[in-house]
Amino acid sequence: MHSVPEMLGGFQNRNRQEIEKDVFNTFLIKENCVALLKNFITEWDPALWDLDFLAECTSGQTVTVKTGKPYSGDRVPTESECDFKQQDLGGFFRYLKTYKDNSTFHYAGYAHFAILNNATPKFHSFDWSWAGLNNFGSHKSTLWAGSAGSFTPCHKDSYGCNLHAQLLGCKEWLLWPPEHDLCPTRLPYEESSTFSSVDVLKETHVKSAVRIVATPGDVIFIPKHWWHLARNLETSVSINTWIDLASDSFDRLKEAIARLLVFSLKGSDSSQSWLNPGEEISSAKENEMLLKHAISQCQHSSSTNDKLKKDLPSRNFYLMIDKAANRSEDFIQCFPLSSHSSMSDENRSKKTENIVDTLLDIIVSDESIMNNISNALLKCTHE
């Protein structure tokens, strides 16, 4: 297991005045390194919050709370193995203050401040200017609060880099660089998140991880596409923001393609086992509009890039993808499996579903395949 200083590339030797000038835009992002900034936000307003303050500010605000068993051994449960329910956030903070049962965890994670509109103004009165991030206020922040043992499964984010501030309690992080093979999967699907399909707590993976334990006042910088698993070691509250990068437009295009393919091929599955809890179903029209917008944004950001040549006929390529996906039932019937006379309809349907899931996950989880599809799409639609 790597220690943090080995990953900082000299950052730990820079003084605070240098760091505060433009730390995240001029150093950390360029170096693409994990960083732990110890006791860096001790005077920041959110660092002074306690559970009583949070309960007072958020009473009447409803959030989704995840409940489950803390993991042990080398296996981390998936989101689908946990329970989710709506709960008053103020009451949840009061509950955390006295909660002592370590056999079950409770976690209000991924709660965007932008939708916590019932919280009092003083809950929203902070910004990230200390990090050189202008116009980054609560509206670009996300709240994470949970009891001991609560966790976020190992995944990597599709866009931006992550700035995570620890306010209360201790949180353990395990992180791996993008090139570390953790067998990515997109099923069950969650927008902008790629999960690992392996047991990341096995020794072969843990020994190659960067381990960080964040305590109150600490800030963690997570570069783009780094794998990370986070677990609260005790009752913990933290907030984060994502910093957009120039390369995000291409990744948003890949995400729009992945979403269209997943929803077109799996949308008729009423069990919704292919969808991560909390993820909302969108219509074919909405997915098509997302793809159109992603293409436009990507072309705009690449308007001066001569790599986009019109070497393929210009046409509405997204409609071709949509049509192909919507005709998947016809395609599936071409498999010999579909007409195997000795197989019951139920078994045949299950086998076909497994084939579709396997092919789909291979396509949307493979970076090189998605890069090729996205580049071809841009060439076809570039004017």
Side-chain angles (χ1 to χ4, degrees):
M1 185 177 299
H2 299 289
S3 61
V4 180
E6 293 175 350
M7 305 298 293
L8 290 178
F11 177 74
Q12 68 273 22
N13 295 323
R14 297 163 66 93
N15 63 50
R16 187 184 177 96
Q17 287 69 37
E18 284 185 287
I19 292 170
E20 288 182 332
K21 286 180 181 178
D22 199 10
V23 53
F24 302 102
N25 291 322
T26 63
F27 184 76
L28 291 177
I29 293 176
K30 289 182 179 179
E31 292 293 322
N32 198 40
C33 61
V34 171
L36 171 62
L37 310 181
K38 290 295 297 181
N39 299 315
F40 202 74
I41 53 165
T42 54
E43 298 179 4
W44 191 34
D45 284 349
L48 306 178
W49 295 349
D50 58 24
L51 292 176
D52 289 328
F53 172 87
L54 290 168
E56 176 189 348
C57 289
T58 60
S59 182
Q61 176 66 62
T62 302
V63 295
T64 300
V65 174
K66 177 173 73 172
T67 303
K69 301 294 183 183
Y71 60 77
S72 59
D74 57 17
R75 183 180 179 277
V76 179
T78 65
E79 299 283 77
S80 301
E81 296 175 73
C82 301
D83 296 322
F84 293 80
K85 62 181 180 180
Q86 296 295 299
Q87 190 170 333
D88 177 78
L89 184 55
F92 178 69
F93 281 123
R94 286 188 288 271
Y95 182 70
L96 284 181
K97 189 174 180 181
T98 59
Y99 188 71
K100 302 296 182 183
D101 182 8
N102 291 329
S103 65
T104 305
F105 72 77
H106 302 273
Y107 200 24
Y110 210 56
H112 295 288
F113 276 74
I115 64 172
L116 300 179
N117 45 24
N118 288 333
T120 62
K122 56 186 176 181
F123 180 65
H124 291 277
S125 59
F126 68 91
D127 60 43
W128 298 81
S129 58
W130 55 267
L133 300 174
N134 297 323
N135 301 317
F136 270 61
S138 65
H139 66 291
K140 288 195 173 185
S141 306
T142 306
L143 174 73
W144 309 81
S147 61
S150 55
F151 64 91
T152 302
C154 184
H155 70 286
K156 60 180 178 178
D157 301 320
S158 299
Y159 324 125
C161 45
N162 188 348
L163 194 61
H164 203 101
Q166 190 69 24
L167 308 182
L168 297 171
C170 297
K171 179 179 286 189
E172 176 190 52
W173 295 79
L174 294 179
L175 306 104
W176 296 263
E179 62 271 17
H180 191 81
D181 185 12
L182 290 178
C183 299
T185 181
R186 296 305 306 268
L187 294 176
Y189 175 82
E190 180 176 295
E191 197 275 332
S192 76
S193 294
T194 298
F195 292 93
S196 168
S197 61
V198 299
D199 295 330
V200 296
L201 295 181
K202 287 188 175 180
E203 184 180 358
T204 53
H205 296 299
V206 170
K207 68 182 183 182
S208 61
V210 178
R211 181 177 183 269
I212 295 174
V213 175
T215 57
D218 292 350
V219 177
I220 295 177
F221 177 82
I222 304 171
K224 184 174 181 176
H225 289 169
W226 272 62
W227 295 98
H228 50 285
L229 165 67
R231 174 175 60 163
N232 293 320
L233 301 179
E234 57 189 8
T235 295
S236 168
V237 178
S238 56
I239 57 178
N240 85 301
T241 190
W242 281 278
I243 305 170
D244 295 335
L245 300 175
S247 59
D248 286 348
S249 59
F250 190 69
D251 288 301
R252 292 185 189 281
L253 173 58
K254 291 193 292 184
E255 189 64 31
I257 294 171
R259 186 180 189 91
L260 186 146
L261 291 173
V262 170
F263 277 70
S264 296
L265 287 170
K266 299 295 296 180
S268 61
D269 184 352
S270 60
S271 71
Q272 295 188 16
S273 59
W274 55 276
L275 202 62
N276 222 35
E279 185 68 29
E280 296 183 358
I281 293 181
S282 52
S283 67
K285 182 68 174 179
E286 290 171 322
N287 294 334
E288 181 182 317
M289 293 303 296
L290 284 172
L291 184 56
K292 286 182 180 179
H293 180 71
I295 293 170
S296 175
Q297 292 296 106
C298 203
Q299 288 177 335
H300 177 73
S301 66
S302 306
S303 59
T304 59
N305 190 342
D306 60 4
K307 291 183 179 179
L308 287 178
K309 299 178 180 178
K310 292 180 64 177
D311 57 352
L312 290 174
S314 177
R315 57 189 180 274
N316 292 329
F317 191 67
Y318 61 87
L319 289 178
M320 295 174 59
I321 298 175
D322 198 28
K323 183 178 180 180
N326 285 329
R327 288 177 58 83
S328 59
E329 288 300 321
D330 296 335
F331 173 71
I332 290 171
Q333 295 305 314
C334 295
F335 280 105
L337 178 65
S338 302
S339 57
H340 200 294
S341 58
S342 63
M343 188 177 295
S344 69
D345 289 342
E346 181 179 352
N347 288 338
R348 182 165 59 246
S349 176
K350 186 64 177 177
K351 290 281 188 180
T352 301
E353 181 181 336
N354 290 340
I355 290 174
V356 172
D357 287 358
T358 300
L359 292 174
L360 182 61
D361 207 19
I362 288 173
I363 293 172
V364 299
S365 299
D366 190 296
E367 282 291 317
S368 61
I369 292 176
M370 293 303 293
N371 285 341
N372 289 335
I373 293 175
S374 300
N375 280 320
L377 176 58
L378 286 174
K379 289 177 180 178
C380 287
T381 57
H382 188 62
E383 295 295 334

